[in-house]
Each structure stands twice: as C-alpha cells, then as structure tokens.
Amino acid sequence: MKIGVVSPASLGNPDMVAPASAFAAVAYPEIDLVFHPQCFAVDGHFAGSDALRASAFLEFANDASFDAIWFGRGGYGSNRILAEAIPKLGPAARHKAYVGYSDMGFLLAALYARRIGRPTHGPMVTDINRTKGDETVARTLGWLARGDRQGLEPGLGGKPSVCLNLSILTAIIGTPWLPDLKNHVLIVEEVSEAMYAIDRMLFHMANATQLRGIAGVRLGAVTAIKPNEPEWGETLEYMMTRWCGEMGVPYLGRAEVGHSQANHVVPFGMI
C-alpha cells in the first residue's frame, strides 16, 4: 500500500519523518510511506505558499499509484487552498482515503461534500512524537492498511458520522464546503480555546440552518483550555446539553477523539 504524506497547512515537522517511517516499516511492512518535499517548505506560518501546498496535494491526490493521503500535521491554512485544489481533483482522487484532523477538517469536509474519496478523521504523522505515539498512529495505519477496526472510535455505528473541530465547523457553516449532514451524528472537539469561545461556537452550531436534520451531537476531547476571567462556571456537559436542546437534537455523550494520544479514527459516513 502506497501512502503519500502532504502538509496543506502549517509548517511541517521534520522530526516526524524518521520515527514514523521506522514504525511503519516494522509494524506495517506492506506500507510504502512517501513524504512530499513540500512538507518541509517554509513560507512564514505555512508549509510553503498557498500555490505550493495546493500543487503538492493535487499531485499526490491525482496520482493513481497512491492508495491514501495521510496529512502530516494541522495548524492553520488548508482552507486557503480549497478553491484552487478541490475543483482540480481527478478520477484517481476519488479512490483514495484521506486521513487527518484539526485544520485538515477543512479538506475532509470539502471532500465529503463532493463525495470524493474516503475522508477520515484520524491521527496524523506528527502524532508519532506524542507519548505512546506509536499506539496513536497505529490506529490510522491499521485502518488504512488492514481495515483494522480496533482503532475506530468505539461509539460509531448505526448512523453515519462526521468529526470536526468546533472552530473548523463554525468556519465552514454558510459556505459551500460544509457537507449535507442530515441524519449524521456530528462529533465535535476543540483545543486551545477559552470556555466562552467554546460556548459561542456551540451557539453558532445550534443555530446553523445548514445543520438542521442532524441525528445528534457527541463531544470529543476539549484540551488546553485557556483561562477564563472571571471563572466560567459551567461544565462542558451542561453546555452541550443546553445547546443541543436549543438545536432540537439529542446530546449523545462523549467520544474518544481530539488533540490527544487517545484520538481515534472516524471515517466520514457509514463504516
């Protein structure tokens, strides 16, 4: 299985290459892991210019020799290449899996909206550098190479699911990049936000007309919460119950996804 690695957003992490390649070679010898040179380009905040990042993504996505695209890392910036890249995806792009999370939600959502390939929320290459990072990336590689279901989020099943950062979700509401999520379970997670900002995003989610008809909402990890002055005073569970009630959909509890070692795989749609 040939897996191409690109970084459509923030600066890549060269320290991810050796451990990820070594782990894949030993644990998944059937995988040929190929890093695009763009992963290590530098243009201010980004892993190369918008044009370079779009070109690299298109090069690997439209190459029929690749079975999957595995995103190197998130950060910010994949939204800036959507208009350039998505319309240029050809037939070969429709037969691949695309795996990432965080900022990569922009691309995963856009792909799913157009039913291109198999968009999947899951650990990225850079997660190899977490504590027990081999266990983390094994969830992605096992799913891609062997269809191993042990790395799937345990609560999946029954209805199609989609998993996104709240910040990514709220950014694409009202745009053509948001998929039709009727009858889907929407899983959300977040990182590095204050509680008031999370509440504001939940308000946006609850009142978005494009999300009418979803089957319910689950909450993944909310990590690295920024201090709130004064103290916020509400729990995440209370906030989720309140806004799901206003949305008119059930709050379906927690999910094992997010910016942590415990991040699990969520294929968009049915598994």
Side-chain angles (χ1 to χ4, degrees):
M1 182 180 203
K2 189 175 179 183
I3 300 176
V5 180
V6 295
S7 293
S10 299
L11 291 174
N13 179 7
D15 294 340
M16 67 187 177
V17 178
S21 299
F23 175 70
V26 172
Y28 300 93
E30 67 269 38
I31 288 177
D32 179 15
L33 199 59
V34 180
F35 288 82
H36 197 288
Q38 169 273 322
C39 290
F40 316 109
V42 178
D43 187 355
H45 169 93
F46 304 104
S49 66
D50 292 349
L52 178 62
R53 299 195 321 279
S55 174
F57 173 69
L58 285 167
E59 179 186 342
F60 275 16
N62 285 332
D63 185 338
S65 71
F66 286 102
D67 301 292
I69 302 297
W70 192 17
F71 296 119
R73 63 155 298 179
Y76 169 74
S78 63
N79 56 316
R80 292 165 58 114
I81 72 168
L82 294 180
E84 172 67 17
I86 298 299
K88 295 180 180 178
L89 290 171
R94 297 183 174 275
H95 303 286
K96 290 179 172 59
Y98 300 83
V99 185
Y101 68 104
S102 192
D103 190 79
M104 297 303 103
F106 282 116
L107 277 163
L108 298 177
L111 291 165
Y112 193 56
R114 287 149 186 79
R115 297 302 188 260
I116 295 173
R118 301 181 300 283
T120 303
H121 166 104
M124 295 183 286
V125 184
T126 193
D127 287 310
I128 190 68
N129 291 322
R130 292 186 182 275
T131 301
K132 297 185 178 180
D134 53 347
E135 295 179 11
T136 308
V137 300
R139 299 184 190 114
T140 290
L141 294 178
W143 172 250
L144 288 175
R146 302 172 184 172
D148 186 351
R149 299 172 68 91
Q150 291 185 12
L152 293 178
E153 201 290 318
L156 299 180
K159 290 186 178 294
S161 295
V162 159
C163 185
L164 294 166
N165 272 69
L166 264 174
S167 54
I168 304 303
L169 172 67
T170 55
I172 60 176
I173 287 170
T175 75
W177 309 115
L178 182 70
D180 180 357
L181 297 181
K182 288 184 179 65
N183 298 315
H184 284 64
V185 173
L186 174 60
I187 305 173
V188 295
E189 51 99 1
E190 196 49 78
V191 63
S192 299
E193 296 285 355
M195 292 292 275
Y196 80 88
I198 295 167
D199 194 66
R200 182 169 58 200
M201 289 186 283
L202 289 171
F203 159 81
H204 193 176
M205 177 192 77
N207 289 278
T209 57
Q210 279 181 293
L211 292 179
R212 288 177 181 167
I214 68 170
V217 181
R218 299 177 66 199
L219 178 66
V222 180
T223 53
I225 297 173
K226 294 181 178 180
N228 210 95
E229 293 292 343
E231 194 68 29
W232 178 246
E234 293 178 357
T235 67
L236 287 166
E237 297 297 316
Y238 174 85
M239 293 156 64
M240 293 301 299
T241 302
R242 179 258 171 89
W243 290 114
C244 285
E246 185 159 318
M247 196 178 191
V249 302
Y251 170 50
L252 300 173
R254 302 305 294 259
E256 293 185 24
V257 298
H259 287 66
S260 71
Q261 189 277 335
N263 194 19
H264 281 66
V265 173
V266 180
F268 283 23
M270 293 295 294
I271 58 173

